[in-house]
Amino acid sequence: MSNLETDPRESACGGPADVAAGPVEELLDGRDVVLGGPRAMRVTRTLPNRDVRMVGAWCFVDHYGPERATMRVPPHPHTGLQTVSWLLEGEILHRDSLGSEQTITPGGLNLMTAGRGISHSEESVPGDRLHGVQLWVALPSHARGTAPAFEHHADLPRPVSPGVTTTVIMGELDGVASPATVHTPLVGAEVALEAGAGTRLRLRPGFEYAVLALSGTVRAAGTDLSPGPLLHLGCGRGELELRSEGGGRLLLLGGEPFEERIVMWWNFVGRSHEEIVRFRREWAEGEAFGTVPGAGAAPLPAPELPLTPLKARGRRR
């Protein structure tokens, strides 16, 4: 999905001192963003946030639906990140400059690793009912220059306990690992709770975590959470208690604090203003990102850069 805004603010959980300081419960309100023009989809963006920019390597969270809508995102570029597409309703066709063509449906994962550069498009069935999330993972320096790649995983591990189904989308949770490729220690998981069900998730105290309600209401760490805000939980937790009286679904994100400073602008994750300028120029000139076969739409032009130089930021304001 294309990020049509620029909001380079900081975030952080920090190192051992912050872990020792204990967890937090910090509600981060999302903001409405329209993707692709006045007739396009409206999403709620909770990362990057004014106060918290990243959770582990997770640097971007868009939640959309449920509603009847049309996703039609023309070819656009990415660098230095992974896109993680997860659906609860509907289907979306992904095409990219590697020649990949893959429809994602609920319960499956589309994972695109941009590495040094890739372009892709996304399109849904017009007027279909859509509900899902689009997530980005920042790549560390040792992986951000890697060759671009695409993976589809239709069968992910789903531990089941009474009234609770957990799907490990990315990384590892309580000894259960997703087959998806990761480049930093992290976790992304969906937890579906039936009415009256509860569970305790085992967490890593060295990770920072956040949770996002996808449907219903879920009580997480003592906070009743409905779709909208992201609940930032910080570091230092060994477990997370969840309960839902009426049933609900929740997305858990976590990972080792991402210590590198990044520049995040439009659809690029880089390390300096000069890198972003180069990425933008290469996209405008048709270099480096390839073309998307079968997209049927003109590539999305990059916005103008701001007048002031972009700055590499940490994880927290």
Side-chain angles (χ1 to χ4, degrees):
M1 186 177 291
S2 173
N3 173 18
L4 301 186
E5 288 200 352
T6 302
D7 189 12
R9 293 173 175 143
E10 300 186 22
S11 69
C13 182
D18 290 312
V19 174
V24 299
E25 289 88 32
E26 185 178 13
L27 275 174
L28 307 177
D29 290 329
R31 54 196 173 89
D32 288 342
V33 178
V34 176
L35 300 179
R39 296 173 57 188
M41 288 186 56
R42 185 178 299 275
V43 305
T44 300
R45 183 165 299 162
T46 49
L47 280 184
N49 186 274
R50 185 179 68 87
D51 296 314
V52 176
R53 183 173 173 80
M54 300 175 71
V55 176
W58 300 96
C59 62
F60 182 89
V61 176
D62 273 0
H63 180 204
Y64 53 89
E67 65 173 330
R68 294 198 178 278
T70 299
M71 177 184 292
R72 187 165 293 158
V73 186
H76 57 279
H78 288 292
T79 59
L81 57 86
Q82 292 178 294
T83 64
V84 179
S85 300
W86 182 253
L87 280 178
L88 284 77
E89 295 183 64
E91 60 181 60
I92 295 172
L93 175 62
H94 163 99
R95 294 185 175 100
D96 64 40
S97 53
L98 300 175
S100 311
E101 185 171 317
Q102 178 65 57
T103 298
I104 181 176
T105 56
L109 166 66
N110 274 4
L111 173 66
M112 187 179 74
T113 301
R116 61 177 175 262
I118 195 170
S119 57
H120 76 133
S121 66
E122 293 161 296
E123 186 174 351
S124 70
V125 177
D128 199 4
R129 186 173 167 88
L130 286 179
H131 186 195
V133 288
Q134 179 73 33
L135 314 166
W136 293 359
V137 179
L139 291 173
S141 288
H142 67 81
R144 69 191 188 98
T146 192
F150 176 80
E151 304 170 30
H152 174 72
H153 299 280
D155 187 17
L156 294 167
R158 290 180 169 84
V160 177
S161 60
V164 181
T165 300
T166 301
T167 304
V168 184
I169 302 168
M170 294 278 287
E172 181 268 338
L173 179 65
D174 195 16
V176 178
S178 165
T181 300
V182 296
H183 296 275
T184 55
L186 56 76
V187 63
E190 183 200 81
V191 184
L193 299 99
E194 298 177 5
T199 188
R200 288 180 183 268
L201 301 178
R202 291 179 59 188
L203 305 183
R204 296 187 182 185
F207 276 21
E208 57 183 327
Y209 290 95
V211 289
L212 178 74
L214 301 176
S215 65
T217 300
V218 179
R219 191 167 183 81
T223 299
D224 289 326
L225 196 62
S226 298
L230 184 75
L231 179 62
H232 180 227
L233 299 171
C235 296
R237 293 179 184 269
E239 66 177 18
L240 175 63
E241 184 174 1
L242 303 175
R243 186 166 185 83
S244 180
E245 296 305 324
R249 292 191 179 199
L250 176 143
L251 183 69
L252 171 72
L253 302 175
E256 284 189 355
F258 196 83
E259 300 296 348
E260 299 182 34
R261 296 171 69 83
I262 66 172
V263 179
M264 185 171 155
W265 181 84
W266 195 42
N267 299 310
F268 306 131
V269 172
R271 297 299 187 274
S272 68
H273 175 83
E274 291 72 24
E275 268 197 339
I276 299 298
V277 170
R278 175 169 60 84
F279 296 153
R280 185 187 183 281
R281 183 186 69 246
E282 289 174 344
W283 174 245
E285 295 175 352
E287 303 175 25
F289 297 96
T291 59
V292 180
L300 195 65
E304 293 297 322
L305 282 160
L307 297 177
T308 56
L310 300 166
K311 296 181 180 180
R313 308 282 186 175
R315 301 187 310 273
R316 196 174 180 92
R317 186 181 63 176

